[in-house]
Amino acid sequence: MIIYKAKNYSDMSRKAANIISAQIIMKPNCVLGLATGSSPMGTYQQLIDWYKKDDLDFAKVTTINLDEYKGLAPNNTQSYRYFMDTNLFNRINIDKNRTFVPDGLESDSEKACNDYDRIISCSGGIDLQLLGLGHNGHIGFNEPGTAFEKGTHCVDLTETTITANKRFFSSEKEVPRQAYTMGIKSIMQARKILVIVSGEDKAPILKEVLQGPITPSVPASILQLHNDVTIVADEAALSLV
Ligand code: GLP
């Protein structure tokens, strides 16, 4: 595991974008696993800036997102599809047909998850998976207690996650209670994993993830067993490590 200490959020974002752009330059038809949330926004902005300067070409890139709220349509402003379109896809030269997010409108969970697992395997596997870290150690929407062996599945979100994510909705009532998420197994099958973490509020969980026991109660702790993980975290997030 490689840990890069960044000065702050923007330094973290630039370092993470450097790693992603290296991946795209080395393999222009690579498969990127992407994340939502506030952590990757700066990284995506940096990638857009480099694309505008002609330093990056997304024409052959495929992307597979980690998760989506069950019940939200792609054009719902709180959906992860909408987040990805507005924060990245609409602003680079990616072929939208090669950008995948679980289908929030598929009410048959088994079908939604099997379809998504098929998309992941048909893509040839994820070359670089970008991850944020939830305050309770979740990755994607794999909440504490999730079996490490799972592929894409439907989850009941925990109260901590609903509370943390309510800032994006007009009220807590509107936060969906379920989501489709890539499983830990799918995440661990990615060839490389890049985790970005920022802020003092993430310091206690980052310490557990890096130095604590490997346990389903801290889903991200499994990353200790992956052979190609890079953590880019700012000083605040690394303050307890
Ligand atoms: C959300 C997402 C995760 C994200 C995490 C951290 O619930 N499902 O993919 O990484 O929580 O979010 P943030 O980066 O906003 O702290």
Side-chain angles (χ1 to χ4, degrees), residues 213-235:
I214 298 167
T215 161
S217 27
V218 182
S221 63
I222 189 77
L223 298 173
Q224 292 178 31
L225 296 181
H226 193 281
N227 62 11
D228 195 346
V229 177
T230 302
I231 311 269
V232 182
D234 61 16
E235 283 171 7

Side-chain angles (χ1 to χ4, degrees), residues 199-217:
E200 210 183 335
D201 52 320
K202 297 265 176 87
I205 192 64
L206 184 56
K207 181 184 165 62
E208 273 192 68
V209 167
L210 299 178
Q211 298 175 337
I214 298 167
T215 161
S217 27

Side-chain angles (χ1 to χ4, degrees), residues 17-215:
N18 258 308
I19 293 169
I20 297 170
S21 68
Q23 171 68 67
I24 298 169
I25 290 164
M26 301 289 281
K27 186 177 175 189
N29 63 345
C30 64
V31 179
L32 299 178
L34 296 181
T36 53
S38 36
S39 306
M41 288 178 77
T43 304
Y44 294 155
Q45 186 55 56
Q46 181 65 76
L47 292 173
I48 293 163
D49 292 348
W50 285 334
Y51 159 71
K52 284 187 181 151
K53 286 186 183 153
D54 241 356
D55 287 338
L56 267 183
D57 181 5
F58 291 84
K60 295 184 188 146
V61 171
T62 295
T63 64
I64 304 185
N65 261 76
L66 281 169
D67 45 16
E68 178 60 286
Y69 288 114
K70 182 174 177 183
L72 296 195
N75 61 355
N76 182 308
T77 55
Q78 305 306 335
S79 74
Y80 285 168
R81 161 54 76 179
Y82 187 89
F83 174 100
M84 290 310 301
D85 284 350
T86 50
N87 285 293
L88 185 65
F89 301 150
N90 290 348
R91 299 159 69 193
I92 55 176
N93 67 330
I94 199 160
D95 176 354
K96 279 277 193 79
N97 295 317
R98 273 209 285 265
T99 66
F100 298 96
V101 179
D103 182 359
L105 284 186
E106 176 56 70
S107 54
D108 178 346
S109 300
E110 207 181 311
K111 179 173 186 316
C113 297
N114 289 341
D115 286 353
Y116 210 60
D117 280 338
R118 207 165 312 118
I119 288 168
I120 300 170
S121 61
C122 289
S123 75
I126 294 168
D127 291 300
L128 174 64
Q129 175 66 57
L130 176 66
L131 295 176
L133 178 64
H135 288 95
N136 58 7
H138 76 226
I139 42 179
F141 266 136
N142 291 283
E143 298 282 28
T146 311
F148 287 147
E149 297 79 16
K150 284 200 174 173
T152 306
H153 59 286
C154 180
V155 290
D156 294 324
L157 301 177
T158 61
E159 280 310 314
T160 332
T161 300
I162 292 167
T163 311
N165 288 358
K166 74 174 183 208
R167 67 190 192 274
F168 299 112
F169 293 80
S170 48
S171 77
E172 186 164 336
K173 267 207 328 268
E174 282 177 39
V175 188
R177 268 35 188 181
Q178 287 191 308
Y180 294 133
T181 185
M182 232 186 239
I184 302 271
K185 188 174 91 183
S186 343
I187 293 171
M188 287 296 281
Q189 281 170 350
R191 293 174 193 104
K192 289 177 200 296
I193 296 182
L194 169 61
V195 191
I196 49 177
V197 195
S198 168
E200 210 183 335
D201 52 320
K202 297 265 176 87
I205 192 64
L206 184 56
K207 181 184 165 62
E208 273 192 68
V209 167
L210 299 178
Q211 298 175 337
I214 298 167
T215 161

